[in-house]
Amino acid sequence: MSEGLKLMSKPVTGPFEKTPGWLDWYNGPSKPRFRVPDGAVDAHCHVFGPGAEFPYAPERKYTPCDASRAQLYALRDHLGFSRNVVVQATCHGADNRAMIDALVHSGGKARGVATVKRSVGDAELKAMHEAGVRGVRFNFVKRLVDFTPRDELIEIAGRIARLGWHVVIYFEAVDLPELWDFFTTLPTTVVVDHMGRPDVGKPVNGPEFELFVKFMREHRNVWSKVSCPERLSVEGPPALNGEENAYRDVIPFARRIVETFPDRVLWGTDWPHPNLRGHMPDDGLLVDFIPHIAVTQELQRKLLVDNPMRLYWPEQS
Ligand code: 0GY
């Protein structure tokens, strides 16, 4: 672990007070043993603030510790990745300035996913596109956001479809049946965060996860991020489990999605890991998890390079 220590500056908090019990991101990530293929993309990560420069939104459900673009890009380099997809975090609401600031200071190495409201202007969407935004996120996780009417989301989806953007959806597995009809009317590519958050305590071939597989099988515009074992695992982190066995209970779920839909999967660190309660992962060990879910070099290339490049940098893929 010592190789990564002090690579990144320590987490700090700006003028805001963190949510009680908040876990800061880990500033001593190990150097992964798994060497990601050249051109690999971390396709799900966030920036938080810094709050002094980019204030957190009044409607937020949590207040994090700051996590700046410089810290994100230091992590990218340390882990051996080439590019990032920075997803708007709910603590910034629909104020995309921190995310866009990260994109415009990335030297073309980052794309973004924004949160927008119906009131967003065409000129604003165009400016976001020029900065590198390629999608919007619709969030259905009730602890993170207030309800947005479906007709507003459909209207937004129709407008961003014209820019060639996609929709990222975040929801809990138990809510898929109720959301199915809405999701299947979306006119764009649809990217699901974290495999629709399966309950990995249930069987991988049980009815709940089968529904998610059916969702992807029957709708070829649906992609999935096979990210966040640290968030989904019931068995837990390496300290409890031994490094080789970290998050072992998530492997069958992620591996099934990678092997069934190899051309429609993405992977991301989820740094700086909002709202974790039990532990904060070592991002180096998260990278070491990848060969357990994408077991051949071909699958690894698709997951980490070919798929994200096709979606976010089609002109270069
Ligand atoms: C994630 C997961 C979470 C939070 C957010 O934008 C966010 O606040 O996405 C979560 O709390 O599960 O993907 O980062």
Side-chain angles (χ1 to χ4, degrees):
M1 291 230 172
S2 57
E3 227 183 310
L5 284 174
K6 301 206 169 40
L7 174 88
M8 299 159 71
S9 46
K10 254 180 129 33
V12 293
T13 312
F16 292 86
E17 195 159 320
K18 289 183 283 188
T19 298
W22 183 264
L23 293 183
D24 294 350
W25 48 270
Y26 176 54
N27 82 329
S30 58
K31 197 85 183 159
R33 275 174 291 189
F34 172 61
R35 197 172 170 277
V36 297
D38 289 347
V41 181
D42 174 354
H44 185 95
C45 51
H46 312 283
V47 288
F48 295 154
E53 202 180 340
F54 302 109
Y56 299 113
E59 72 272 25
R60 69 190 179 279
K61 306 295 182 215
Y62 62 88
T63 307
C65 85
D66 291 339
S68 71
R69 61 172 151 85
Q71 289 160 335
L72 174 64
Y73 297 149
L75 179 71
R76 173 200 67 201
D77 294 345
H78 175 71
L79 298 178
F81 281 74
S82 300
R83 295 180 172 85
N84 296 91
V85 179
V86 186
V87 177
Q88 172 75 353
T90 59
C91 56
H92 281 293
D95 175 352
N96 293 286
R97 282 175 299 167
M99 182 271 291
I100 287 172
D101 173 75
L103 304 188
V104 300
H105 290 95
S106 71
K109 291 182 183 170
R111 296 289 195 230
V113 174
T115 297
V116 301
K117 296 189 170 154
R118 165 182 266 157
S119 55
V120 66
D122 286 338
E124 202 182 336
L125 288 177
K126 188 163 175 276
M128 283 193 211
H129 188 88
E130 276 159 18
V133 173
R134 294 293 181 269
V136 292
R137 192 182 196 202
F138 295 166
N139 202 319
F140 302 88
V141 178
K142 296 175 188 84
R143 69 184 157 78
L144 290 173
V145 285
D146 298 322
F147 178 77
T148 306
R150 302 280 188 271
D151 66 318
E152 174 165 351
L153 298 178
I154 288 286
E155 186 182 314
I156 292 167
R159 288 178 64 198
I160 61 97
R162 294 199 281 277
L163 293 166
W165 293 10
H166 59 272
V167 174
V168 173
I169 52 177
Y170 190 25
F171 61 93
E172 313 259 3
V174 289
D175 295 324
L176 180 56
E178 191 234 311
L179 291 164
W180 182 282
D181 289 345
F182 172 71
F183 289 162
T184 55
T185 58
L186 290 169
T188 60
T189 294
V190 173
V191 181
V192 179
D193 278 340
H194 323 324
M195 300 183 282
R197 292 196 60 114
D199 177 347
V200 301
K202 294 179 179 168
V204 67
N205 54 2
E208 194 174 271
F209 201 59
E210 284 299 342
L211 188 70
F212 182 67
V213 173
K214 176 177 149 89
F215 179 46
M216 289 196 71
R217 190 189 306 118
E218 292 184 357
H219 301 94
R220 300 189 59 79
N221 63 323
V222 177
W223 294 40
S224 178
K225 294 177 196 164
V226 289
S227 39
C228 279
E230 74 290 357
R231 207 174 272 292
L232 302 175
S233 179
V234 179
E235 281 186 1
L240 302 177
N241 216 0
E243 287 192 8
E244 285 305 320
N245 287 328
Y247 316 125
R248 190 180 42 186
D249 48 351
V250 183
I251 292 173
F253 292 81
R255 195 171 160 179
R256 181 165 179 204
I257 297 300
V258 168
E259 290 177 359
T260 314
F261 308 107
D263 298 312
R264 290 189 268 147
V265 284
L266 302 170
W267 186 89
T269 54
D270 195 30
W271 189 89
H273 311 288
N275 301 311
L276 289 182
R277 291 278 152 194
H279 75 292
M280 183 51 58
D282 170 346
D283 294 277
L285 292 182
L286 287 181
V287 173
D288 285 335
F289 188 75
I290 295 171
H292 295 285
I293 63 171
V295 300
T296 66
Q297 284 188 354
E298 191 193 354
L299 289 171
Q300 291 160 8
R301 249 206 91 72
K302 285 175 182 243
L303 176 67
L304 297 169
V305 184
D306 298 349
N307 299 342
M309 288 303 288
R310 211 163 68 247
L311 194 57
Y312 290 98
W313 284 268
E315 67 286 356
Q316 290 178 45
S317 76

